Amino acid sequence: IVGVTVGSASMALLSVYPLQLAWGGQEWWNCVQTVYPLQAWGMVMYIYIPATWAFASILFGATLWLRKIINDVEFGLGAMALSLLMVLITVLSQEVHIPSVSTQRLYIPCDPGGDFNARFVPTGDSLWVDRLDFSLFAQSILQRVRDVTGWRLAP
């Protein structure tokens, strides 16, 4: 149950973008793409590919579990590990390949009518913007990898 719960929570995080799109509509989406021109590509890479993969892996694990090929613990740990690993890999790969033209912010408030530089400086929402910004987390991981290995991880 823990593995499926963690996997489901990981996929639920990915629903924040579509909810913002539903709320803000095309005007919000145009505003986001003005600041982050490759965000559409990044959203496909960050939302649909990992969600599809995580869902498919959970269903495959459920099939193995129902056939008694794996036990409860193996199924739970496998679903949890694979779901979290897929989200981590897609976040890091997006930060390596399109770091400044897309964002890993899960919550992107955008005021289409505002000044270009002030669009992403919300007043009461800044705490949520910072807490749900996986770009900062991914960049810190990548910097540690660069420091330890010397890899540049350039696109």
Side-chain angles (χ1 to χ4, degrees):
I1 291 182
V2 172
V4 174
T5 302
V6 170
S8 297
S10 298
M11 291 191 315
L13 280 176
L14 303 174
S15 69
V16 176
Y17 283 137
L19 288 174
Q20 290 178 88
L21 180 58
W23 183 266
Q26 188 65 39
E27 196 174 22
W28 174 82
W29 183 237
N30 291 340
C31 179
V32 170
Q33 287 188 313
T34 301
V35 179
Y36 299 109
L38 289 181
Q39 189 64 23
W41 188 73
M43 282 181 71
V44 168
M45 187 172 132
Y46 184 61
I47 295 174
Y48 302 110
I49 292 172
T52 302
W53 193 89
F55 185 68
S57 66
I58 289 170
L59 290 179
F60 179 69
T63 300
L64 296 176
W65 177 75
L66 286 172
R67 294 179 181 181
K68 309 268 189 258
I69 297 171
I70 60 174
N71 62 31
D72 295 347
V73 174
E74 292 169 331
F75 173 62
L77 290 175
M80 180 175 66
L82 291 173
S83 298
L84 291 174
L85 185 64
M86 191 64 197
V87 171
L88 179 66
I89 288 170
T90 55
V91 167
L92 291 176
S93 63
Q94 183 173 346
E95 287 299 318
V96 167
H97 295 287
I98 54 173
S100 58
V101 290
S102 72
T103 185
Q104 294 291 338
R105 290 177 174 170
L106 292 182
Y107 177 52
I108 309 173
C110 193
D111 179 14
D115 178 30
F116 180 78
N117 293 325
R119 285 182 180 164
F120 290 98
V121 186
T123 54
D125 295 335
S126 59
L127 180 65
W128 284 107
V129 171
D130 291 341
R131 285 189 177 170
L132 295 174
D133 187 355
F134 285 97
S135 290
L136 300 174
F137 174 68
Q139 287 299 329
S140 69
I141 290 175
L142 291 173
Q143 189 56 48
R144 284 187 185 175
V145 170
R146 289 178 184 119
D147 292 343
V148 171
T149 65
W151 291 347
R152 291 296 100 200
L153 298 173

